[in-house]
Amino acid sequence: MTKIVNLTPHAINLLVDDKEIVIPPSGTVARAATERRQIDTIKINGVDVPVNNTVFGDVTGLPDPEPNTIFIVSMLVANAVPHRDDVFIVDDTVRDDEGRIVGAKALAHV
């Protein structure tokens, strides 16, 4: 059986085949440092609007790979470590009537 570690600050509700699987937060949150670099400007209504490029930096809170273990992280963290095949994000989100995310139907790699 695969061990699942939720490295986000909130519970994850997987909604699959009319079942709900709740994965509580582990207590550790993985984070990626980001740096925004202005690469251009575009003029909108006479105003120069910056155009940035985001560069991902060091990731904290993400353990080294472990046998039979996957880590669920934010999209930002996953983008910072695309080489890690044990890192997943939620995918195919489900929203309530007010547009709030209430769960996801799948996991994904970036």
Side-chain angles (χ1 to χ4, degrees), residues 15-65:
L15 307 171
V16 181
D17 295 332
D18 295 327
K19 294 183 178 145
E20 182 176 10
I21 303 164
V22 179
I23 305 166
S26 67
T28 299
V29 177
R31 301 207 182 271
T34 58
E35 178 183 340
R36 287 179 180 81
R37 297 179 184 161
Q38 184 175 334
I39 58 171
D40 202 355
T41 59
I42 58 173
K43 195 169 287 292
I44 300 175
N45 295 335
V47 177
D48 287 331
V49 177
V51 175
N52 294 339
N53 181 22
T54 301
V55 178
F56 301 105
D58 294 333
V59 172
T60 58
L62 178 62
D64 291 333

Side-chain angles (χ1 to χ4, degrees), residues 53-94:
N53 181 22
T54 301
V55 178
F56 301 105
D58 294 333
V59 172
T60 58
L62 178 62
D64 291 333
E66 300 174 18
N68 301 316
T69 302
I70 66 169
F71 301 100
I72 302 175
V73 300
S74 68
M75 176 72 83
L76 188 70
V77 170
N79 278 322
V81 293
H83 59 281
R84 293 277 302 260
D85 63 1
D86 61 339
V87 170
F88 292 81
I89 58 169
V90 296
D91 190 41
D92 198 6
T93 55
V94 177

